Amino acid sequence: MNHYQKTLVLKTRGKDFHRITREIEEIVSESGVKMGLCTLFVRHTSASLVIQENADPDVLVDLSNFFAKLVPESGHYIHSTEGPDDMPAHIRSALTKTSEQIPINQGRLVLGIWQGIYLWEHRQHSHRREIVVYISGI
Amino acid sequence: MNHYQKTLVLKTRGKDFHRITREIEEIVSESGVKMGLCTLFVRHTSASLVIQENADPDVLVDLSNFFAKLVPESGHYIHSTEGPDDMPAHIRSALTKTSEQIPINQGRLVLGIWQGIYLWEHRQHSHRREIVVYISGI
Amino acid sequence: MNHYQKTLVLKTRGKDFHRITREIEEIVSESGVKMGLCTLFVRHTSASLVIQENADPDVLVDLSNFFAKLVPESGHYIHSTEGPDDMPAHIRSALTKTSEQIPINQGRLVLGIWQGIYLWEHRQHSHRREIVVYISGI
């Protein structure tokens, strides 16, 4: 039984999807685990995880547009001292994922062929984001 | 310590909730794990997981109606080549779960009495869907 | 390898966020696990988990207001026999989390400094809620 934990640090370029599939796969490879589980955990409440299509980038544009409309930055929020993009960022995080789990088989994540892992930065400006990656298995 | 991994393959009947509680419980039973964790992972971005009420089927109808209104197929999406139901399917997946975890105790999932596990097909037509089930424990 | 499972029972005070960070940390401490994974699982479909800001309580007020508008109790639902707050509670649960995973390092949850763990009661009245906490690691 192996246990492996590593923190992936990412400097985001502001509100956008940051594909981290390759970085996570490298950590899985480092861990030496052939069959097991990979857990991702975002240590923030204004950025989140989403596993989405990795082929047509328009999917991410539409997803972004949908959330911009659903949780508008122009909305009236009580919590506004950190800027108009902060409270919507919290809500978007609550609607998506703080943690995600992907089984590992034959030393690789069992992602579907069209699945990519993304850190979704919900703030307008660049932030330093930490994703804890925990891997256990044999 | 046991590790068990199996892929549940499901041919969906188009947009609907497909209850998979029994199938998952059978895999837990096969695994021989008495105390541990069961992870479900959907290998798709237009179908997702949801744990919801298993008693009154109207709950699923209301849930379906809510999402039909929240993420309309008549909306304007840039990604439209795969049909008007594809982009809404991606968004609905992002709003629900790609992975889900259920602890195991005394050889059984610790589901509440009213909880059922569902694969939610978001596409209009039937699809072949894969759910990786990973179980570890003692 | 340690395995530890405990059910946290909570009597909610009706629709509100109930912070359970301290209770979960105590269970992690009891487990003796220094590096591993903590899984939380809510055994209900009308209450859910959310990891959100623990500093400014206005964040939770805004989050609550957002969901009150997104999933109104005044909406038309077929499933209405359990009261006007029941179906919205199911939908809000589907939009947030039934399970959540937090890695453990040096005997502590790797939560970010601003992150708190909340059980979100979606029903108007007080309920008895069970959260299964499963911890594994070394």
Side-chain angles (χ1 to χ4, degrees):
Chain A
M1 183 75 184
N2 285 320
H3 298 268
Y4 193 77
Q5 197 169 128
K6 193 167 183 175
T7 301
L8 178 64
V9 179
L10 207 70
K11 192 158 170 50
T12 63
R13 49 186 180 272
K15 187 181 280 199
D16 205 353
F17 294 90
H18 297 73
R19 199 187 297 186
I20 54 172
T21 318
R22 192 176 305 170
E23 288 83 344
I24 304 301
E25 281 181 334
E26 275 169 16
I27 297 174
V28 170
S29 181
E30 275 172 36
S31 76
V33 167
K34 298 301 174 198
M35 173 156 119
L37 188 61
C38 175
T39 298
L40 309 180
F41 181 82
V42 177
R43 302 186 72 214
H44 310 278
T45 60
S46 55
S48 59
L49 293 167
V50 69
I51 293 180
Q52 264 298 333
E53 177 164 323
N54 57 15
D56 181 0
D58 283 346
V59 168
L60 302 179
V61 176
D62 281 327
L63 195 56
S64 181
N65 289 345
F66 175 84
F67 274 79
K69 212 169 141 185
L70 183 68
V71 196
E73 296 195 356
S74 59
H76 289 289
Y77 305 106
I78 305 171
H79 173 83
S80 60
T81 47
E82 294 177 57
D85 60 330
D86 190 54
M87 192 55 224
H90 289 305
I91 297 174
R92 290 166 197 203
S93 292
L95 287 168
T96 50
K97 316 291 179 302
T98 297
S99 69
E100 196 68 79
Q101 270 69 222
I102 311 158
I104 297 166
N105 199 7
Q106 297 185 305
R108 303 212 51 184
L109 298 169
V110 300
L111 290 169
I113 195 166
W114 305 112
Q115 287 182 312
I117 310 169
Y118 297 88
L119 175 77
W120 196 354
E121 173 62 71
H122 300 297
R123 302 297 309 272
Q124 289 292 358
H125 297 294
S126 171
H127 279 72
R128 184 187 178 276
R129 300 301 192 179
E130 294 185 6
I131 302 159
V132 178
V133 184
Y134 173 68
I135 295 165
S136 64
I138 48 177
Chain B
M1 183 75 185
N2 285 321
H3 298 269
Y4 193 76
Q5 196 168 130
K6 193 167 183 173
T7 301
L8 178 64
V9 179
L10 206 71
K11 190 154 168 53
T12 63
R13 51 184 180 273
K15 187 182 278 197
D16 206 352
F17 294 90
H18 297 72
R19 201 188 295 187
I20 54 171
T21 318
R22 191 175 306 169
E23 288 84 343
I24 305 300
E25 280 180 336
E26 276 169 15
I27 297 174
V28 171
S29 183
E30 277 170 36
S31 77
V33 167
K34 298 303 174 197
M35 174 157 118
L37 187 63
C38 175
T39 299
L40 310 179
F41 182 82
V42 177
R43 302 186 71 215
H44 310 277
T45 59
S46 55
S48 60
L49 294 166
V50 69
I51 293 179
Q52 263 299 331
E53 178 164 323
N54 56 15
D56 181 0
D58 283 347
V59 168
L60 302 180
V61 176
D62 281 329
L63 195 56
S64 181
N65 289 344
F66 175 84
F67 273 80
K69 211 169 141 186
L70 183 68
V71 196
E73 295 195 355
S74 60
H76 290 290
Y77 305 105
I78 305 171
H79 173 82
S80 59
T81 48
E82 294 177 55
D85 60 329
D86 190 55
M87 192 55 222
H90 290 305
I91 296 173
R92 291 166 196 203
S93 293
L95 286 168
T96 50
K97 315 291 178 304
T98 298
S99 70
E100 196 69 79
Q101 269 70 220
I102 310 160
I104 296 166
N105 199 7
Q106 297 185 304
R108 303 212 51 184
L109 296 170
V110 300
L111 289 170
I113 193 167
W114 305 112
Q115 288 182 312
I117 311 169
Y118 297 89
L119 175 77
W120 196 354
E121 173 62 71
H122 299 298
R123 302 298 307 273
Q124 290 290 1
H125 297 294
S126 172
H127 279 73
R128 183 187 179 277
R129 300 301 195 179
E130 296 185 5
I131 302 160
V132 177
V133 184
Y134 172 69
I135 295 165
S136 64
I138 48 177
Chain C
M1 183 76 185
N2 285 321
H3 298 268
Y4 193 77
Q5 196 168 129
K6 192 168 185 173
T7 302
L8 179 64
V9 179
L10 207 71
K11 191 157 169 51
T12 64
R13 51 184 179 273
K15 189 181 276 197
D16 205 353
F17 295 90
H18 297 73
R19 200 187 294 187
I20 54 171
T21 319
R22 193 176 304 169
E23 288 83 345
I24 304 300
E25 279 180 337
E26 276 168 17
I27 297 174
V28 170
S29 183
E30 277 171 37
S31 76
V33 167
K34 297 302 173 198
M35 173 158 121
L37 187 63
C38 175
T39 299
L40 310 178
F41 181 82
V42 177
R43 301 186 72 215
H44 310 277
T45 60
S46 55
S48 59
L49 294 166
V50 68
I51 293 179
Q52 263 298 332
E53 177 163 323
N54 57 14
D56 181 0
D58 284 345
V59 168
L60 301 180
V61 176
D62 281 328
L63 194 57
S64 181
N65 289 344
F66 175 83
F67 273 80
K69 212 170 140 186
L70 183 68
V71 195
E73 296 195 356
S74 60
H76 291 289
Y77 305 105
I78 305 172
H79 173 83
S80 59
T81 48
E82 294 178 55
D85 59 329
D86 190 55
M87 192 56 223
H90 290 304
I91 297 173
R92 290 166 197 203
S93 292
L95 287 168
T96 51
K97 316 292 178 303
T98 297
S99 70
E100 196 69 81
Q101 269 68 222
I102 311 158
I104 297 166
N105 199 7
Q106 299 185 307
R108 304 213 49 185
L109 297 169
V110 299
L111 290 170
I113 193 166
W114 305 112
Q115 288 182 311
I117 310 170
Y118 297 88
L119 176 78
W120 196 353
E121 173 62 71
H122 299 298
R123 300 299 307 272
Q124 289 290 359
H125 296 295
S126 170
H127 279 73
R128 184 187 178 276
R129 300 301 194 179
E130 296 185 5
I131 302 160
V132 178
V133 184
Y134 172 69
I135 295 165
S136 64
I138 47 176

